[in-house]
Amino acid sequence: FSSLGSSYQPVIETLGKYPQKKFYNVAKLGGTNQVLCFTLDILPYSIRVFFESSVRNCDGLLVKETDAMNILDWKTKQNNVEVPFCPARVVLQDFTGIPAMVDFAAMREAVRNAGGDPAKVNPVCPTDLTVDHSLQIDFSKCAIQNAPNPGGGDTQKMVAKLSPLRAAPRKLLCRGQTGCKGPCSATDPGRNLGQFSAQIENMPILCPFHLQPVPEPETVLRNQEMEFGRNKERLQFFKWSSKVFKTVSIIPPETGMAHQVNLEYLSRVVFEVKDFLYPDSVVGTDSHTTMVNGLGILGWGVGGIETEAVMLGMPLILTLPEVVGCELTGTANLLATSIDIVLGITKQLRQADVAGKLVEFFGTGVAQLSVADRTTIANMCPEYGAILSFFPVDNVTLKHLKHTGFDKTKLEVMEAYLKAVKLFRSDESSSTEPEYSQVVQINLSSIVPYVSGPKRSQDRVTVNNMKSDFQACLNEKSGIKGFQIAVEKQNDIVSVQYEGNEYKLSHGCIVIAAVISCTNNCNPSVMLAAGLLAKKAVEAGLVVKPYIRTSLSPGSGMVTHYLSSSGVLPYLNKLGFEVVGYGCSTCVGNTAPLPEAIRNAIKQGDIIACGVLSGTKNFEGRLCDCVKANYLASPPLVVAYAIAGSVRIDFETEPLGTGFNGKSVYLRDIWPTRRELHEVEEEYVIASMFKELKEKMEKGNKRWNSLEAPTSTLFPWDLKSTYIRCPSFFDKLAKEPAPLQAIENAHVLLYLGDSVTTDHISPAGSIARSSAAAKYLTSRGLTPREFNSYGARRGNDAVMTRGTFANIKLLNKFIGKPAPKTIHFPSGQTLDVFEAAELYQKEGIPVIILAGKKYGLGSSRDWAAKGPFLLGVKAVLAESFEKAHRSQLIGIGIAPLQFLPGENPSILNLTGKEQFSILFPQELSPRMTLDIKTSTGKVFSVIALFENDVEIALYKYGGSLNFVARRFL
């Protein structure tokens, strides 16, 4: 870099004791230039990733030297300049992946037609596409497994009618248990827990009554068969793509959703191509792409057009962002679970106003967060508005990767490389922390555990205030929280005989305790915490009173698997928390009746008895009509309160009970530490998950493996297909672009107001029977039942173009009410937007769109730009644009034009019924002012919103797709 002066030297180096490994050592870019080394040390780690990418990809055209120097000068240039970024890879999910791959197939066709070699058309950036990210549910457990007469007979007839694919196999009942409703294997009906973990293979669903493996649920099999039948064309196209595109990897069906597969299988942390090392980074078409930042991988979600541009070797252009440093200090509260910490951090970041910024974590508290915690926090970016939340790689990350299958050599190379390029975060206090745009401090000790109740889930109570809060509820008038118990009766005790022993019930006594792994408690760490607490309690000699209705309802067989393989399930059983099933139970009122003696005692003494559960609903009387107070708590707290037997306990000062040798045992004595939890989680949960996914990837599945697909260089388009169709984006592809053409005598297709979102523009959801898309599908012989959704038909431009501006909430000022209609001015007809656009195209008349402020708000959607382009829209004239959508319009070849400040159609007395002519100079420059002339003789000026030379080049070439396609010629 000339700007670094004579001290510049090549920065490609070999990696220490691995001389075959090479990398760009950006820390030595300036040679003896100490200023650069110091500057790099104080850059946020996320910005260092941007800098390395700019150095490695600098070509003088798409990425320039000035871009790299602007990133290096981040402290003064943040929010003031735009910079390019070239991600290491792309992740697509099925709905957004299909149009991208169809575009590449069409590009091959166009390159062949223009005299080029179609085999050269491949994504430049490595791309992974996950096929079964989205699932349509045709069959449910209720329809198949909970039908009348579950033992057979009429059930088989009913299921056979439900499924058009095959009759249901006969269910085998558990040997000796004719009342079992679950389909079980007839082999080995015993309940030996020592053998249990060895019997688990790929974590199948288990019989809730006997803890034995059972075949894959019929609901899963039927839904998978329907998915394969319905989407066979798309799947064949995906398989063809995996064979012919060298840089595309297809993740087959029945493997997992995009963000989970990305996190568990696709993430490299450090990329290695032909012994060349560089940081892993990713953009994806799924908003959950941000999860990978918990692994130290820079990644976020973008729109379809930006993604395709990256696949084609184009950089993302973004404003150099602010970076908010989130300093975690202190030690987590003893009783705080991972969920408490994640939600606590999320809440404080939401209050800190980090919208549109990067968040980067540092401080002594970071090491207390497991990778599972970090990825959850990173995944919740939409909750607090950040672009991404970055956790630099540290020792916790390396330890996690060791359990996920990374071999020793790979981990050593990774650590050495990241330290060499200053991307490894050290736990040592002496290490220099980066400088940030602002710092948000969060003391982990301030995040305290809560329970919710006694009648509503929104009434949160800190655990250390639980005893006093319940006392206040006894005093309060009957209502939202109160029970209005007279002061003289608040200490009443009722004696009851149960199973030969006498017990005493009082206000606050617990009679229901349910550990449920659902929704907010599906994080493995909280279920393991319950198991480890149970283990320590049993070893200390603590017990749960036998009259308390205890139960364990895991969310899936996988939960039971890791509870068993980690050795804690027998201890939960010992305390009465036995697996009862896998569906919604206690929190929907499906609790077994309380013992008659206990019910009578509660009613006789008018006792305010309590239920404690780790579910989501706790309305009064929901669990049982005689249980008036119900609290939602984390799984380990449910076990703790069950042992205590009452909510009227201060865990800090009062013991849970008496253990062996008459010793008092406090909650702090048996509560598992976060270190213990992390170790068990990594060894028994993470390792199993990654092993299973790796096996799935290697084996594939029978349906996918046997699926036939073409292998030709060009895709054999089926003209009868209503799912896959060759789009017309490349119809005018030539080796040299045509000179910029004026837009002459254009009619206004739509006259829109403020805040038109991409949802208004882009086709989404079901296909309305009266829509233009429905008319097209009907003409192809389909019935409404076969229409499917716009998402499923994103590979057919004929459907998607007809669905553009088909939103029933679209307010076109020409019509005066919400409707997907417009006026075709030459004829005066009111038509569907597509029908009007089609007439204009047949007449050779270009069209434009008039709009107000913030045109293109909302999620980045590729068809919000592709659709208007195929409708013939040449320009959008608006008061202002959503930044991402403006870029998409340029990327497809539509000119974004902005009224001058203080001007709009009303001020300029434009009705939209005029015709508009726009002349583009051949020497177009960023933000140039252009004149527009109307058919009424009015002339006014607008700003051409091209921000840089790259955007101008893309527009001249007809968009990014055509720009790159010409490179293949």
Side-chain angles (χ1 to χ4, degrees), residues 228 231-243 704 707-710 715 724:
F228 262 82
N231 297 310
K232 186 176 180 181
E233 278 187 61
R234 289 198 302 149
L235 294 176
Q236 287 177 323
F237 176 75
F238 281 141
K239 195 160 188 179
W240 171 80
S241 299
S242 69
K243 292 179 178 180
W704 176 258
L707 183 68
E708 295 182 357
F715 184 70
I724 308 292

Side-chain angles (χ1 to χ4, degrees), residues 324-337:
V324 177
C326 183
E327 183 179 14
L328 301 182
T329 60
T331 302
N333 185 290
L334 174 68
L335 305 185
T337 66

